[in-house]
Amino acid sequence: MNTTTTTTPPVPYNTTQLFTETTVPNALLSEHATKAGVWGVIRVDSGRLEFHLPTEGRAEILTSDNPGLIEPEQTHSVTPLGKVAFRVEFYRQPPFPTSDADQN
């Protein structure tokens, strides 16, 4: 009996255009939040982006190898660190495995 299941990774329902340090909208530079039931993933194509999570009191440096996860209703903002190119993907379910799944 085969108990292996294959799950298809979630597909974003929307993706922003590619933003750079000169085209990033002011709204992304200021604190804002995703809607209820919406996850976001910030994907950096090149350069570095600082991802601020003020309610958690922390910030992360995002790169092409380190995307940023935005949880539903999570307050956040970004700051370009020099030349950068990035986009934001939006999902209706968690785009990555949860920590519970990672521990099993």
Side-chain angles (χ1 to χ4, degrees), residues 21-61:
E21 69 283 356
T22 60
T23 64
V24 60
N26 286 334
L28 298 184
L29 301 173
S30 303
E31 289 184 10
H32 61 285
T34 50
K35 296 179 182 178
V38 175
W39 284 259
V41 176
I42 303 171
R43 298 213 186 261
V44 175
D45 287 7
S46 63
R48 299 179 329 134
L49 189 69
E50 190 166 28
F51 176 43
H52 304 274
L53 298 163
T55 55
E56 296 179 21
R58 66 183 179 92
E60 299 178 31
I61 304 300

Side-chain angles (χ1 to χ4, degrees), residues 5-6 9 12-15 17-18 24 32 36 39 41 44 53 56-57 60 64 68 73-74 78 81 89 98-100:
T5 59
T6 303
Y13 72 85
N14 194 10
T15 302
Q17 69 185 50
L18 188 67
V24 60
H32 61 285
W39 284 259
V41 176
V44 175
L53 298 163
E56 296 179 21
E60 299 178 31
S64 60
E73 302 180 83
Q74 185 175 45
V78 297
L81 299 174
E89 300 172 346
T98 63
S99 57
D100 290 341

